[in-house]
Amino acid sequence: MITLRREPLLWTVVAVILATTAVIYFIERPEHLNALSVLLIIETTVTVVGALYAIFVNVAWHWRVFRGWFVRVPDLRGKWDGLLTPLDPDGNPLSSITCTVTIRQRLFSINCVLRTEKAESESVAGSAYLN
């Protein structure tokens, strides 16, 4: 299994910021640029790219247009109903228990809440892996 890592996406963001800054520098005439204007260009670029990154990781990653070619993480979000079949110490099945699993998911994180008639369980950490 391959673990999903944020580093490639973050390095892509850094490369986009540097490329955008370089393009703006070459489009503008260097004699019109000073340290303050270059700093303003970098600040604006980082803000815009950072906002786009946050929107993508939290919201847009599951959109159909990104499926398969850009995002390979399965979209598991939702509410799932099922049956749990516990086993006794000898491995024999006991009576089934109805349950509901609620999954909240982002690109790099997942949170699951399992509810039964008598209990509730919530995950506090999760990792995504690719086969």
Side-chain angles (χ1 to χ4, degrees):
M1 282 193 277
I2 302 168
T3 183
L4 283 175
R5 296 181 12 230
R6 295 178 191 220
E7 291 84 11
L9 186 56
L10 292 175
W11 280 113
T12 303
V13 168
V14 169
V16 167
I17 290 169
L18 291 175
T20 305
T21 304
V23 166
I24 291 172
Y25 178 80
F26 288 114
I27 289 174
E28 290 286 327
R29 295 193 176 110
E31 57 270 5
H32 293 116
L33 294 176
N34 56 33
L36 185 59
S37 65
V38 171
L39 186 62
L40 183 63
I41 291 167
I42 293 172
E43 177 185 337
T44 304
T45 305
V46 169
T47 301
V48 169
V49 171
L52 292 174
Y53 175 83
I55 290 168
F56 181 77
V57 168
N58 293 314
V59 179
W61 67 272
H62 63 85
W63 292 351
R64 190 175 305 256
V65 68
F66 299 119
R67 288 262 146 236
W69 69 276
F70 193 67
V71 175
R72 297 186 306 172
V73 177
D75 186 2
L76 304 174
R77 299 169 307 133
K79 187 174 181 180
W80 305 85
D81 296 321
L83 291 174
L84 294 175
T85 305
L87 303 176
D88 67 12
D90 296 326
N92 299 318
L94 300 173
S95 61
S96 295
I97 303 168
T98 59
C99 68
T100 301
V101 177
T102 305
I103 299 176
R104 292 181 296 268
Q105 184 180 10
R106 294 182 177 167
L107 182 58
F108 296 110
S109 65
I110 190 167
N111 176 270
C112 302
V113 178
L114 172 70
R115 290 184 181 90
T116 65
E117 189 176 300
K118 297 180 181 180
E120 181 175 307
S121 173
E122 182 172 354
S123 67
V124 292
S127 297
Y129 295 93
L130 296 174
N131 286 328

